[in-house]
Amino acid sequence: EPEVTQTPSHQVTQMGQEVILRCVPISNHLYFYWYRQILGQKVEFLVSFYNNEISEKSEIFDDQFSVERPDGSNFTLKIRSTKLEDSAMYFCASSELVQEETQYFGPGTRLLVL
Amino acid sequence: KQEVTQIPAALSVPEGENLVLNCSFTDSAIYNLQWFRQDPGKGLTSLLLIQSSQREQTSGRLNASLDKSSGRSTLYIAASQPGDSATYLCAVQTGANNLFFGTGTRLTVIP
């Protein structure tokens, strides 16, 4: 069964460093998403992406964040200058269409900022 | 802003029992509601999706209901098994692309 994959599974970085989290969505899906979950808190929406551009973003997704689809399979989330409060589990998701469609989640990348 | 609440926060039941998990949301203008399972340190596994026009969905031992007007959904698990132990999350999709998640119910099924 097709699934969303994410790399790396864990990343430790120093405050102020740039990190890139990678995702491979399900191949025939058109909509891609990033969510994050700070330990003990709700899963929160960051951004959605369609047709090579951002279609929606939350207040969390500020200028420090960017997304890109560099090729036909990968979808990346970049954090330019990490802060301590960026430590969280980051989930990538994809869906075939946007509304009334199941979003399929990857296993997540656990980011720890020291 | 949409707020999603799940009650109870944690639940322990003996194996074989039927159980109900509750989810409520503040804005009834939703496109769909999705139930997920999350195992410790792992990703989210989609269990059921209910469109806004539907009242319930069933998959195996799971049955989810939706009452959009009152802002409520329930997830019914029949004949619970130890393998059902996990955190169950509900999420609603509104006019935007994103899902609003609840804080989850941590279920423990005792053998």
Side-chain angles (χ1 to χ4, degrees), chain B residues 15-33:
Chain B
E15 182 177 0
E17 269 204 8
N18 304 323
L19 60 103
V20 175
L21 308 180
N22 297 291
C23 172
S24 61
F25 46 95
T26 52
D27 184 350
S28 62
I30 65 170
Y31 278 96
N32 60 53
L33 183 145

Side-chain angles (χ1 to χ4, degrees), chain A residues 33 35 37 42-43 45 48 55-56 89 91 98-103 105-107 110, chain B residues 4 31-32 34 36 38 41-44 46 49 51 93 95-99 101 103:
Chain A
Y33 314 85
Y35 292 82
Q37 186 178 32
K42 293 184 180 184
V43 177
F45 168 76
S48 60
S55 53
E56 187 84 23
M89 181 76 99
F91 294 108
V98 61
Q99 291 164 353
E100 305 182 352
E101 287 288 332
T102 299
Q103 292 187 21
F105 281 70
R110 185 171 296 283
Chain B
V4 182
Y31 278 96
N32 60 53
Q34 203 166 343
F36 293 89
Q38 185 175 29
K42 300 290 178 64
L44 310 178
S46 180
L49 180 141
Q51 311 288 8
Q93 184 168 13
N97 300 347
N98 49 303
L99 294 174
F101 281 83
T103 46

Side-chain angles (χ1 to χ4, degrees), chain B residues 39-100:
Chain B
D39 292 283
K42 300 290 178 64
L44 310 178
T45 301
S46 180
L47 299 173
L48 289 164
L49 180 141
I50 310 179
Q51 311 288 8
S52 61
S53 57
Q54 296 175 320
R55 297 285 291 183
E56 65 178 312
Q57 278 287 339
T58 298
S59 175
R61 295 183 293 109
L62 305 180
N63 176 276
S65 69
L66 174 63
D67 184 343
K68 204 172 79 156
S69 61
S70 67
R72 292 179 186 175
S73 175
T74 62
L75 179 67
Y76 174 83
I77 302 177
S80 58
Q81 301 171 357
D84 295 331
S85 297
T87 296
Y88 290 80
L89 303 175
C90 76
V92 296
Q93 184 168 13
T94 61
N97 300 347
N98 49 303
L99 294 174
F100 287 91

Side-chain angles (χ1 to χ4, degrees), chain A:
Chain A
E1 183 176 330
E3 57 184 18
V4 177
T5 59
Q6 291 184 243
T7 54
S9 59
H10 294 79
Q11 173 122 22
V12 180
T13 190
Q14 295 290 323
M15 190 170 57
Q17 293 296 305
E18 174 184 286
V19 295
I20 298 176
L21 309 183
R22 291 182 168 80
C23 168
V24 179
I26 295 174
S27 62
N28 65 328
H29 286 187
L30 301 178
Y31 291 85
F32 316 119
Y33 314 85
W34 284 101
Y35 292 82
R36 78 172 186 191
Q37 186 178 32
I38 295 171
L39 190 63
Q41 297 186 22
K42 293 184 180 184
V43 177
E44 302 173 290
F45 168 76
L46 293 178
V47 66
S48 60
F49 191 86
Y50 169 70
N51 200 27
N52 282 320
E53 60 182 26
I54 291 173
S55 53
E56 187 84 23
K57 61 182 181 178
S58 72
E59 295 170 350
I60 303 168
F61 194 88
D62 61 21
D63 292 344
Q64 292 299 313
F65 292 88
S66 62
V67 289
E68 191 179 26
R69 186 151 165 86
D71 54 43
S73 59
N74 290 285
F75 179 51
T76 62
L77 174 69
K78 182 192 292 187
I79 309 175
R80 288 192 184 82
S81 178
T82 50
K83 308 183 186 74
L84 297 177
E85 54 265 37
D86 294 327
S87 295
M89 181 76 99
Y90 288 80
F91 294 108
C92 174
S94 69
S95 64
E96 194 171 350
L97 299 171
V98 61
Q99 291 164 353
E100 305 182 352
E101 287 288 332
T102 299
Q103 292 187 21
Y104 294 90
F105 281 70
T109 292
R110 185 171 296 283
L111 176 65
L112 178 60
V113 182
L114 302 176

